[in-house]
Amino acid sequence: MRYRLDVVGTSIADVVQNAGGWLFDRAVAGWDVTVMVPGTGDARPLQILGAEMLDLETVLAAGGRGRRPQALAVAANICEVDSRARSGLLKALGHGGIEVVVWGEGWPLGSDHGVDPVLHRLSLAAQAFKAHALAAGAVPMTSVGSTELFRSGVLDHPPVGADLSPVG
């Protein structure tokens, strides 16, 4: 059985800029990584990172049926514009067995959910592949950093190969 990471972002560029290195490192570690964004676009940046792309609307319209990831990563601002994404995030947090990671400004669910800042240290390969993915998506960026910062719901038992570290 392969672990599965589902990622929900506002755009391909949003996902690559904020979580591209982490997605690459998870894909290389053997995870199935699926990115869901509104509409269609050039999936090449995601393919460079080892991820596949699905249309977010199609997945949300189906109520997420058939999706059972071990980890879920979400752009905070997608929850502000789509109540179904917010509902899915709440459901994942309530499940307790799903690693939940959010990037972007603010925490979309208020302060009543226990979350902590975490970071991922990108491998050298992740830094290189993220740079190529950004270039393929024509995303302007001067350099790729060595870490990516997220907020995460606390898990009693992190998944095998957990690669996020507490900040501080």
Side-chain angles (χ1 to χ4, degrees):
M1 178 185 124
R2 290 173 56 117
Y3 286 104
R4 189 156 147 190
L5 168 60
D6 281 356
V7 182
V8 179
T10 57
S11 67
I12 293 170
D14 171 43
V15 171
V16 174
Q17 281 180 305
N18 291 291
W22 182 52
L23 302 185
F24 174 84
D25 281 335
R26 286 271 171 120
V28 167
W31 287 63
D32 288 328
V33 179
T34 304
V35 174
M36 293 159 272
V37 295
T40 59
D42 182 2
R44 252 178 332 138
L46 299 175
Q47 292 167 345
I48 289 169
L49 298 174
E52 75 169 289
M53 184 175 89
L54 294 176
D55 174 54
L56 178 61
E57 181 58 37
T58 303
V59 174
L60 290 176
R65 284 185 291 280
R67 307 226 47 95
R68 299 204 191 294
Q70 283 74 34
L72 173 67
V74 180
N77 55 357
I78 197 87
C79 293
E80 295 170 6
V81 297
D82 194 310
S83 62
R84 297 168 299 172
R86 186 178 193 281
S87 175
L89 181 59
L90 279 168
K91 184 178 176 182
L93 278 169
H95 183 272
I98 298 174
E99 179 183 27
V100 178
V101 175
V102 176
W103 73 83
E105 294 300 315
W107 176 249
L109 305 176
S111 61
D112 56 339
H113 294 277
V115 295
D116 292 312
V118 294
L119 63 83
H120 173 67
R121 294 187 194 289
L122 281 65
S123 67
L124 291 175
Q127 291 175 49
F129 277 77
K130 180 176 177 175
H132 286 290
L134 288 166
V139 178
M141 184 168 228
T142 56
S143 67
V144 172
S146 61
T147 61
E148 291 170 338
L149 184 63
F150 307 102
R151 275 152 299 142
S152 181
V154 180
L155 276 179
D156 293 335
H157 306 289
V160 173
D163 51 5
L164 298 175
S165 305
V167 173

